[in-house]
């Protein structure tokens, strides 16, 4: 059983919110909880939350599986890069919380932009936890190309050296996302 770590007080969270001067960008594998944790993080800090995958679908007026099927992954990555750049740059890098798709931080230009202009947070889980969680969303064409557990294992191995370039790493364990939120807040607080 995990022991609860001491929680930040409301005053400490408010003080942290005042120090945030640019977007917080969550990176990491599909199923790790970037959207769920991102929404909670945004609510805790009083910031807007944006899901980059949803912004891409809005811009393309197509679902992510449709974009992959129609234009292929390289075109998706290009659109993803442009949408994330727009989200980060908007209104002079205004603070907000952005959840990115699992492959975004692997793209060299997207990664460079996030590292340069945002507060990057890598959420990581073991493959079993990812596997249990990926069933909940339908925007993951890469998992339809074979056995999802094998694909998650391979992608996590391939992507780890890229994710590891984020200065803040938080383990998103199998427990409730509230615990992960506390760790993200503390990770940002000690890095800023
Ligand atoms: C992808 C992850 C998805 C989505 C697309 C590609 C990836 O986002 O962007 O299916 O390459 O890992 P989530 O990480 O939100 O599932």
């Amino acid at each position: 059983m995990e022991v609860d770590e001491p929680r930040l007080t409301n005053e400490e969270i408010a003080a942290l919110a005042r120090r945030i001067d640019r977007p917080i960008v969550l990176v990491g594998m599909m199923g790790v909880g970037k959207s769920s944790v991102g929404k909670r993080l945004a609510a805790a800090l009083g910031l807007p939350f944006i899901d980059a995958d949803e912004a891409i679908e809005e811009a393309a007026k197509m679902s992510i599986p449709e974009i992959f099927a129609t234009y292929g992954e390289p075109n998706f990555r290009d659109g993803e890069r442009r949408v994330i750049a727009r989200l980060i740059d908007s209104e002079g890098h205004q603070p907000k919380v952005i959840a990115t798709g699992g492959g975004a931080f692997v793209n060299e230009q997207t990664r460079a932009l996030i590292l340069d202009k945002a507060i990057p947070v890598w959420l990581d889980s073991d493959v079993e936890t990812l596997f249990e969680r990926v069933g909940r969303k339908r925007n993951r064409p890469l998992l339809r190309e074979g056995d999802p557990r094998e694909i998650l294992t391979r992608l996590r191995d391939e992507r780890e050296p890229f994710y590891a370039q984020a200065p803040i790493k938080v383990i998103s364990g199998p427990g409730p996302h509230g615990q992960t939120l506390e760790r993200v807040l503390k990770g940002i607080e000690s890095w800023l």
Side-chain angles (χ1 to χ4, degrees):
M1 203 176 84
E2 277 185 76
V3 179
D4 271 353
E5 297 151 37
R7 296 168 68 91
L8 290 172
T9 63
N10 288 346
E11 288 72 27
E12 286 168 330
I13 296 175
L16 174 61
R18 285 193 292 274
R19 292 167 64 204
I20 293 179
D21 58 352
R22 64 211 124 122
I24 298 168
V25 176
L26 302 180
V27 305
M29 284 290 293
M30 299 178 247
V32 78
K34 292 166 298 209
S35 300
S36 315
V37 174
K39 279 181 199 153
R40 287 160 182 263
L41 179 64
L45 294 170
L47 295 174
F49 170 76
I50 296 137
D51 185 309
D53 283 342
E54 285 176 10
I56 294 164
E57 291 184 325
E58 269 170 40
K61 298 191 173 50
M62 279 173 126
S63 70
I64 288 178
E66 281 168 349
I67 303 172
F68 268 72
T70 312
Y71 299 112
E73 186 173 347
N75 280 305
F76 169 77
R77 296 297 168 203
D78 201 45
E80 180 175 53
R81 174 182 61 73
R82 281 184 275 119
V83 167
I84 292 174
R86 169 170 60 76
L87 295 175
I88 290 180
D89 285 337
S90 76
E91 295 163 55
H93 313 120
Q94 203 191 44
K96 56 175 82 77
V97 177
I98 303 171
T100 60
F105 205 60
V106 176
N107 179 285
E108 197 178 335
Q109 288 166 285
T110 308
R111 187 171 65 253
L113 179 82
I114 296 171
L115 287 171
D116 189 35
K117 304 262 176 66
I119 301 171
V121 179
W122 170 25
L123 293 186
D124 192 26
S125 287
D126 58 36
V127 170
E128 278 315 303
T129 306
L130 297 177
F131 181 69
E132 278 167 28
R133 290 183 180 153
V134 283
R136 297 178 199 168
K137 229 159 124 186
R138 298 194 164 272
N139 68 339
R140 293 161 174 150
L142 293 177
L143 294 182
R144 297 183 192 162
E145 289 170 7
D147 175 56
R149 197 184 253 112
E150 270 171 36
I151 294 169
L152 287 170
T153 307
R154 176 177 55 77
L155 287 178
R156 186 171 176 275
D157 285 350
E158 284 172 8
R159 293 174 172 180
E160 188 162 354
F162 302 104
Y163 293 147
Q165 294 177 42
I168 302 168
K169 176 183 180 179
V170 170
I171 301 291
S172 169
H177 283 313
Q179 229 167 39
T180 310
L181 170 66
E182 278 296 311
R183 291 181 191 146
V184 173
L185 289 167
K186 286 181 184 166
I188 296 172
E189 189 189 42
S190 49
W191 182 71
L192 272 180

